[in-house]
Amino acid sequence: MKPPTAAQRRIIEAADPGTGRLSGSEAQLSGLVRARLAFRHPRPPHAYFLTPAGHRLRDEAAARSRPAPAVAPAETAAAPGVFAARTGTETSVTGSEGPARAREVRSAWEGLVELRRMTNPDGARDRPCAWERTHLVQAAALALEAAGCLPARPGPGPGPVEGYEVSGTPQPEAVAVREPSPDGLRACAAALERAGWQVGEHAGPRGARYLLASPRRI
């Protein structure tokens, strides 16, 4: 298969880092589909998204163009206009709110489900795909936000507004989810299980309960 052209590489490199959504002319995007670097979502507005092969090209280009970040990408604020699922660990919240945010989250989740269908060997939509295994914190946060769970966020007072927090762990393919409310923690567990994650509840050093979640393989 031919390598992507310079124009195609520019489109790939400009893709939304959270969802892989692409912008370009219909001819350019159709060319990426033929090259198996993108797919077209079957539902309106029929947006185009990167396939895992497209994501790899984008990640390789990004790695060449900048030094390694000092903190994990999920802990940094998203650039203006770029969608990112909220992990609850943000120091400030930017971007849309209310119905507009709900539409963005729904579109991102639908795109991820379609990516599962396109890339899982059996076409399964109820099981995480390879992209989610390499973007664990963002994938888990998107599953929670799409299910209606509320992330923690900076509050007007000295402490944050309560909600979930998703963070990485030393364990391979696992994230930790914390929620101060027992009911909220159970809701997060149910949301992740519906999204195809294996979830276990554990006690922290001070007795606080948290979830350990991993993408289900079968």
Side-chain angles (χ1 to χ4, degrees), residues 54-182:
H55 275 289
R56 284 194 295 273
L57 279 179
R58 185 187 184 284
D59 291 345
E60 288 167 4
R64 289 193 299 268
S65 64
R66 66 175 185 268
V71 294
E75 296 172 355
T76 62
V82 174
F83 174 85
R86 289 175 179 162
T87 66
T89 62
E90 295 85 1
T91 56
S92 63
V93 176
T94 59
S96 58
E97 297 289 345
R101 176 66 184 181
R103 287 192 296 271
E104 291 176 358
V105 171
R106 183 170 60 252
S107 177
W109 177 249
E110 289 175 353
L112 182 57
V113 171
E114 181 63 11
L115 185 62
R116 289 178 174 187
R117 186 188 70 81
M118 294 283 291
T119 60
N120 278 333
D122 57 356
R125 300 173 188 235
D126 61 349
R127 191 174 68 250
C129 62
W131 182 87
E132 291 167 271
R133 298 180 196 284
T134 58
H135 299 77
L136 291 168
V137 173
Q138 278 291 316
L142 178 56
L144 290 171
E145 198 174 354
C149 298
L150 298 178
R153 54 196 299 146
V161 176
E162 290 188 350
Y164 69 75
E165 293 185 2
V166 185
S167 57
T169 73
Q171 296 183 232
E173 288 202 358
V175 296
V177 179
R178 292 174 173 82
E179 224 284 1
S181 159

Side-chain angles (χ1 to χ4, degrees), residues 18-45:
T19 64
R21 186 167 180 168
L22 297 161
S23 298
S25 71
E26 190 68 24
Q28 290 171 324
L29 297 174
S30 296
L32 289 173
V33 171
R34 289 192 296 275
R36 298 182 181 179
L37 297 171
F39 68 91
R40 186 171 185 258
H41 199 285
R43 295 178 60 182

